[in-house]
Amino acid sequence: MSVYPEHRPAGQGEPFVFTAEMKAKADAHIAKYPAGRQQSAVMPLLDLAQRQNGGWLSKEALAHVADILGMPVMRVYEVASFYTMYNLQPVGKNLVQVCTTTPCWLRGSGDVVAACEKHLGIAVGETTADGKFTLREVECLGACVNAPVVQVADDYYEDVAVSHVPGLLDALGRGETPKAGSLIGRQTSAPEGGALTLKDIPAKQGA
Amino acid sequence: MPKVTVDGTELEIAAGSTVLQACEVAGVEIPRFCYHERLSIAGNCRMCLVEVEKSPKPVASCAMPINEGMVIKTDTPMVHKARKGVMEMLLINHPLDCPICDQGGECDLQDQALGYGFDKSRYSENKRAVKDKNFGPLIETHMTRCIHCTRCVRFSTEVAGVPDIGAIGRGEHMEITTYLDAAVGSEMSGNVIDLCPVGALVSKPYAFTARPWELKKTESIDVMDAVGSNIRIDARGPEVMRVLPRLNEDVNEEWISDKTRFAYDGLKRQRLDRPYLRENGKLREATWDEVFLAVSAKLKATAGDKIAAIAGDLADAESMYALKELFVSLGSKNLDCRQDGAKLDATSRASYIFNSGIAGIEQADVVLLIGTNPRLEAPIVNARLRKRYLMGGFKIASIGPALDLSFPLESLGAGPQTLSDLAAGKHGFAEALKAAKNPMIIVGQGALARADGSAVLAAARKLAEASGVVKDGWNGFNVLHTAASRVGGLDLGFVPSLNKDGQGGRDVAGILEGAQSGAVEVVYLLGADEIDNTKLGKAFVIYQGHHGDAGAHRADVILPGAAYTEKDGTYVNTEGRVQRAKRAAFPLGEAREDWKIVRALSQVIGKTLPFDSIQQLRAKMAAAHPTFATLDALLPATWGSFGQEGSMDGAAFRTPISNFYMTDPISRASVTMAKCAEVQSSRSKDTGTHG
């Protein structure tokens, strides 16, 4: 029997209300839509709520968003359970998402997952006892050029090798935010080690 | 109108129709699961695929609007192959448990698999299994069987207006559920059982009790409220197994309320199946001869003005007519069918019926509710109001308690003061009512069942006249009743009659007062259980009915009658529509049909009533009260002056029904309804984080 606990919002035991700052952002999103269509703002509002609530949406948070948008909480719940990036269960402070879709996998993401599991002492889908890390396998993050990719919060760590894993996780564990992007010093998605072509373009063309 | 061709037949069809509708007009049946003509179009089951010329792929006919010159083919190899493919996909995860499924025998999937299914599965992997959900005490779920047509989601959102059901997750992991497994909070949630094309949502009380082909189906009329919903009673032998809705566009469309559908288990409990006689303060079992002799001795020994009769909420017109004739022959004028003391005026039919008809709600553009909560008093009427609301351009306001009707409405005030203000034009809503094309006023029993009810009725009439609610071709003055027998009783004149000198008989309040003072010595209760029995004083009480409810407990003699499923009876619904209920099972034990009891009693008394069969009775009844001659139709009532103008006191209108699930002897005896009431009360207490 397939049971999906990740589809069931947990309670957080206390009321959820947007902070003044978040409320202002929420209002800005709502203002994008014509009157009577404020329900269109449900996804950004859920995102704001998730950010405020430590990375997950409690049933109190769902109720608060439903309340603001004047929509039935069931409809909000449908949206929140449809998208995998909304978490309905508490997650660790750092949600480590390792991409294991084909390009990343071909470039060794399987080893990266194993290294994360070994370093954190948890299996995929679990949270460490100190609540600092949740490890998750995810589908394509859309940065295949620099595979393998690991996402933590809003940052992508690219070109991740097994050797990078301990340093990266330790820094995150200390509460630091390691520099995002390629871990091997690649400039965006330019070739590894610098440009390989178009090196001989004359300074001035035509003439 | 665009012309289309369906399987070689050319036809014209209204613009905006779908391909599926065009096929139906052409008489071609299209298989479907998700499409339902009363719900929005989802287009997610893909079973209705047809071939359309110049379209490279098969087309989902339910969601495809027609175009001029479309050539539709429904019987080509491509269509068959496409539908077979869809069916195979649907069956990948559908369990093969038809032999233990309650839907077996009346299952859309089963039927259509016969036409489009393969003989064996090519799928060797494990089937998906889904945990069952809690939908409350009425709906049993077998979610593994669900094919995700989302009819239940659309019904609860659109028709019921209680968006408690939804689809969570997606793809393979999609599940239909209520929010956090709470019971569905609608008074008509049972309809999702009929809508479910598979056995995912089935009736909990009916679960594993019967197969559809072994049930005797009787088309009848519901008496749980005054709507007169058309129902089908499925019985096996003497036992009513379930109640289903029957299509009647003018009354209930194809919905029924949960009370109508599920109160039937009350028919098996606390029944009166033999006569009883009170001796030395205790009821003892007796024979018909004994009780008839006791009753006749009492009635003969008592003067006509000292006997009285009260008809209950479930009484059929035949028994009320017979009882009235008997009491008239005994010289009594103390008759009343208005147990709640509503100040309804039996002399003017327009004053006590739902003049516009329930279907007329769809023509109204501004509605004023006075002292009524249609969601509790008549969920089917409320569904119609919601349907009108969804059409747009609709304004509705209420005078009375705060309401949650599943659509927004304006609350104007709590009591008669607001009504006076409105009549005086001191309220903004008065303008809206006047300006409306088809304004409507719905007066509930909460406004009439009070001491100043007659004045309220007169005030409502004056407001109606002043606001153009009654005009040529439109009568939007409506009274919403709560009792199935009420309009029939009023049509029959089962009310205190007047002497030549204007001295009236006693109404319910007068009867109770007389019973306490000794002026009334014998009270005949025809299934009347909603009166205050403590006020019956020392009167000799004869109770004729089918349940050991309040009336039977106080009775000195009990005459066991038949419940609505056990007799042929005529009921007049709140619109004044005369409808015939039919017997689905025989009365229990020694119980008899009610009109026969009155007829037999009249013979013992020596005032034999002049009819020997129900046909003769009905002929006499129709001759004396012509409205009974026309069945299943609305007769326009003549407008007149009614109600007694006077001062209204300031007390707020109250809702006559506080507990929707328990309003009459049958639903009070029902365990299912008790469970619903429990869930309801726990929900209203729930103030925390439930949503």
Side-chain angles (χ1 to χ4, degrees):
Chain A
M1 171 144 340
S2 30
V3 179
Y4 309 105
E6 66 268 30
H7 284 169
R8 213 183 145 78
Q12 65 182 60
E14 55 184 3
F16 175 92
V17 183
F18 272 136
T19 58
E21 185 198 350
M22 287 296 190
K23 184 74 179 57
K25 285 184 184 173
D27 289 340
H29 283 297
I30 295 169
K32 291 177 192 166
Y33 304 100
R37 307 276 178 193
Q38 68 275 22
Q39 299 185 357
S40 305
V42 64
M43 292 184 63
L45 258 63
L46 283 173
D47 179 53
L48 291 176
Q50 179 158 303
R51 282 163 194 277
Q52 185 185 320
N53 205 38
W56 71 290
L57 290 165
S58 60
K59 57 182 182 184
E60 290 84 355
L62 295 183
H64 185 59
V65 170
D67 200 33
I68 290 179
L69 298 176
M71 60 195 286
V73 69
M74 186 70 222
R75 294 284 97 81
V76 177
Y77 178 29
E78 285 178 332
V79 173
S81 65
F82 185 91
Y83 294 100
T84 53
M85 287 167 74
Y86 295 122
N87 302 311
L88 296 172
Q89 296 287 324
V91 292
K93 207 155 165 281
N94 297 292
L95 178 60
V96 180
Q97 305 175 74
V98 187
C99 172
T100 54
T101 305
T102 318
C104 283
W105 178 70
L106 288 171
R107 298 272 294 152
S109 68
D111 297 335
V112 174
V113 172
C116 290
E117 285 183 327
K118 192 173 160 219
H119 190 78
L120 297 172
I122 52 171
V124 166
E126 291 178 356
T127 303
T128 52
D130 59 5
K132 279 190 175 165
F133 289 96
T134 296
L135 181 61
R136 199 174 279 175
E137 259 185 1
V138 293
E139 299 304 324
C140 187
L141 291 172
C144 314
V145 281
N146 291 1
V149 182
V150 174
Q151 185 186 5
V152 181
D154 290 340
D155 293 329
Y156 274 22
Y157 299 98
E158 299 153 13
D159 296 319
V160 181
V162 171
S163 59
H164 295 125
V165 169
L168 180 66
L169 294 179
D170 284 343
L172 288 167
R174 288 192 298 273
E176 298 166 13
T177 309
K179 188 172 172 292
S182 172
L183 297 187
I184 55 170
R186 188 203 306 246
Q187 184 195 2
T188 62
S189 52
E192 219 174 313
L196 299 176
T197 58
L198 303 179
K199 288 178 167 175
D200 50 352
I201 298 175
K204 231 177 161 188
Q205 276 193 329
Chain B
M1 291 206 297
K3 271 197 185 114
V4 296
T5 311
V6 178
D7 288 346
T9 320
E10 196 170 273
L11 57 120
E12 275 190 29
I13 185 145
S17 308
T18 62
V19 171
L20 190 147
Q21 284 166 331
C23 293
E24 283 193 336
V25 171
V28 179
E29 199 182 320
I30 305 289
R32 85 283 302 264
F33 294 113
C34 72
Y35 175 79
H36 192 277
E37 65 261 28
R38 280 172 224 280
L39 303 175
S40 64
I41 293 168
N44 53 11
C45 77
R46 315 310 287 179
M47 195 62 206
C48 62
L49 294 173
V50 296
E51 187 179 344
V52 175
E53 239 173 48
K54 295 193 189 110
S55 166
K57 296 189 288 180
V59 166
S61 61
C62 70
M64 173 64 78
I66 52 154
N67 273 325
E68 176 64 46
M70 230 180 204
V71 180
I72 302 156
K73 294 172 185 166
T74 67
D75 198 18
T76 62
M78 186 236 229
V79 170
H80 280 270
K81 186 154 185 287
R83 289 183 189 164
K84 279 189 166 176
V86 170
M87 178 57 79
E88 189 175 17
M89 293 289 189
L90 286 172
L91 292 179
I92 279 179
N93 277 320
H94 192 82
L96 196 62
D97 61 355
C98 304
I100 55 149
C101 175
D102 265 329
Q103 194 85 352
E106 48 185 7
C107 174
D108 290 357
L109 188 63
Q110 205 177 28
D111 294 348
Q112 289 172 33
L114 197 68
Y116 299 99
F118 289 107
D119 54 350
K120 61 181 177 229
S121 175
R122 294 190 286 169
Y123 190 74
S124 58
E125 287 79 4
N126 280 336
K127 292 194 178 209
R128 172 186 115 118
V130 183
K131 201 165 177 253
D132 291 341
K133 306 291 187 293
N134 173 38
F135 272 41
L138 302 177
I139 305 164
E140 183 169 275
T141 64
H142 297 275
M143 298 319 285
T144 302
R145 297 175 186 152
C146 178
I147 59 168
H148 306 122
C149 69
T150 68
R151 275 186 187 178
C152 53
V153 179
R154 283 174 283 146
F155 173 82
S156 66
T157 309
E158 293 160 17
V159 179
V162 181
D164 283 355
I165 307 179
I168 60 162
R170 57 169 154 168
E172 172 88 356
H173 310 303
M174 177 171 165
E175 292 185 15
I176 300 288
T177 182
T178 53
Y179 188 57
L180 302 180
D181 275 357
V184 185
S186 166
E187 288 73 23
M188 43 196 295
S189 63
N191 292 301
V192 300
I193 296 166
D194 295 338
L195 287 173
C196 186
V198 296
L201 305 179
V202 290
S203 166
K204 215 172 233 182
Y206 172 71
F208 307 127
T209 54
R211 283 302 197 181
W213 55 84
E214 61 185 5
L215 298 173
K216 193 185 84 181
K217 298 155 181 78
T218 309
E219 301 200 334
S220 191
I221 300 298
D222 171 57
V223 300
M224 292 295 137
D225 53 32
V227 172
S229 296
N230 289 208
I231 54 170
R232 193 185 90 191
I233 302 167
D234 284 5
R236 187 174 57 192
E239 198 181 356
V240 174
M241 302 304 293
R242 62 175 179 178
V243 172
L244 297 176
R246 201 149 53 85
L247 187 72
N248 189 332
E249 292 291 349
D250 293 333
V251 183
N252 56 316
E253 299 180 275
E254 62 186 81
W255 319 122
I256 52 174
S257 75
D258 286 349
K259 189 161 51 177
T260 301
R261 186 185 297 266
F262 292 111
Y264 64 84
D265 70 324
L267 294 168
K268 288 177 224 161
R269 292 188 166 76
Q270 291 197 295
R271 290 301 301 273
L272 301 171
D273 60 352
R274 60 174 66 232
Y276 287 86
L277 202 55
R278 194 177 290 277
E279 267 182 3
N280 305 324
K282 275 189 138 174
L283 284 171
R284 71 157 175 91
E285 294 175 1
T287 63
W288 276 111
D289 287 343
E290 280 178 286
V291 290
F292 273 158
L293 285 174
V295 171
S296 108
K298 201 79 194 173
L299 285 176
K300 277 200 274 194
T302 314
D305 60 346
K306 294 197 162 187
I307 60 174
I310 302 174
D313 290 353
L314 308 181
D316 55 305
E318 285 85 356
S319 61
M320 283 190 283
Y321 174 72
L323 190 62
K324 185 191 168 202
E325 293 301 301
L326 177 63
F327 267 63
V328 168
S329 72
L330 290 169
S332 172
K333 296 178 185 65
N334 308 323
L335 298 168
D336 206 346
C337 64
R338 301 161 299 185
Q339 283 191 91
D340 53 3
K343 300 288 183 290
L344 292 158
D345 190 342
T347 54
S348 166
R349 195 165 195 255
S351 76
Y352 61 82
I353 63 171
F354 205 95
N355 286 292
S356 72
I358 293 169
I361 290 172
E362 288 179 33
Q363 267 93 55
D365 45 1
V366 176
V367 173
L368 173 66
L369 305 175
I370 303 177
T372 179
N373 181 348
R375 184 166 169 185
L376 299 187
E377 292 166 27
I380 298 303
V381 171
N382 197 52
R384 194 71 85 132
L385 284 167
R386 181 173 163 80
K387 185 179 179 188
R388 177 66 192 84
Y389 158 73
L390 290 176
M391 290 176 188
F394 182 58
K395 204 172 157 112
I396 180 162
S398 159
I399 304 177
L403 300 178
D404 170 17
L405 295 186
S406 75
F407 47 86
L409 80 168
E410 192 184 339
S411 183
L412 302 180
Q417 184 56 44
T418 317
L419 188 57
S420 311
D421 287 355
L422 213 52
K426 277 192 251 172
H427 204 291
F429 191 78
E431 296 304 310
L433 204 59
K434 264 201 186 100
K437 187 165 161 278
N438 288 328
M440 178 180 281
I441 292 179
I442 301 179
V443 185
Q445 302 308 300
L448 301 176
R450 40 194 271 154
D452 60 355
S454 199
V456 174
L457 186 64
R461 170 176 61 84
K462 290 196 80 176
L463 178 64
E465 284 166 355
S467 313
V469 172
V470 184
K471 53 191 173 192
D472 275 350
W474 175 255
N475 186 344
F477 183 85
N478 295 330
V479 176
L480 183 60
H481 290 273
T482 53
S485 72
R486 195 73 83 245
V487 175
L490 294 166
D491 279 350
L492 290 167
F494 203 98
V495 289
S497 53
L498 298 175
N499 275 347
K500 277 181 215 136
D501 53 357
Q503 288 295 308
R506 292 168 184 274
D507 61 5
V508 166
I511 293 167
L512 293 177
E513 196 186 304
Q516 277 177 309
S517 70
V520 172
E521 290 174 9
V522 181
V523 180
Y524 196 117
L525 301 177
L526 181 64
D529 292 289
E530 322 295 327
I531 53 169
D532 187 354
N533 283 326
T534 56
K535 291 189 178 158
L536 281 169
K538 288 206 175 92
F540 182 82
V541 177
I542 304 152
Y543 180 81
Q544 177 180 343
H546 43 79
H547 270 77
D549 206 72
H553 284 291
R554 170 60 185 83
D556 294 291
V557 173
I558 293 175
L559 309 174
Y564 71 110
T565 53
E566 296 155 5
K567 60 186 170 192
D568 290 335
T570 303
Y571 293 94
V572 189
N573 79 351
T574 191
E575 305 169 287
R577 184 187 301 274
V578 181
Q579 302 186 107
R580 291 261 156 90
K582 294 197 180 61
R583 187 181 63 209
F586 285 97
L588 292 189
E590 290 175 41
R592 291 293 178 267
E593 293 182 25
D594 290 273
W595 74 268
K596 285 185 184 166
I597 295 173
V598 179
R599 164 68 180 72
L601 177 63
S602 71
Q603 195 163 10
V604 179
I605 297 173
K607 304 259 185 194
T608 310
L609 291 168
F611 37 77
D612 299 321
S613 69
I614 196 158
Q615 286 78 17
Q616 289 176 6
L617 186 160
R618 282 175 176 166
K620 287 232 170 351
M621 183 164 76
H625 307 281
T627 52
F628 285 93
T630 317
L631 291 181
D632 302 321
L634 292 187
L635 300 174
T638 328
W639 190 252
S641 174
F642 51 80
Q644 211 156 37
E645 285 174 45
S647 64
M648 299 181 279
D649 75 37
F653 297 134
R654 59 175 183 84
T655 314
I657 296 178
S658 53
N659 180 356
F660 165 73
Y661 296 103
M662 293 183 152
T663 51
D664 53 79
I666 298 174
S667 55
R668 277 195 290 267
S670 159
V671 174
T672 315
M673 290 295 103
K675 283 183 194 158
C676 289
E678 204 176 300
V679 170
Q680 179 70 32
S681 72
S682 71
R683 182 184 292 120
S684 54
K685 266 184 250 154
D686 199 349
T687 53
T689 54
H690 72 293

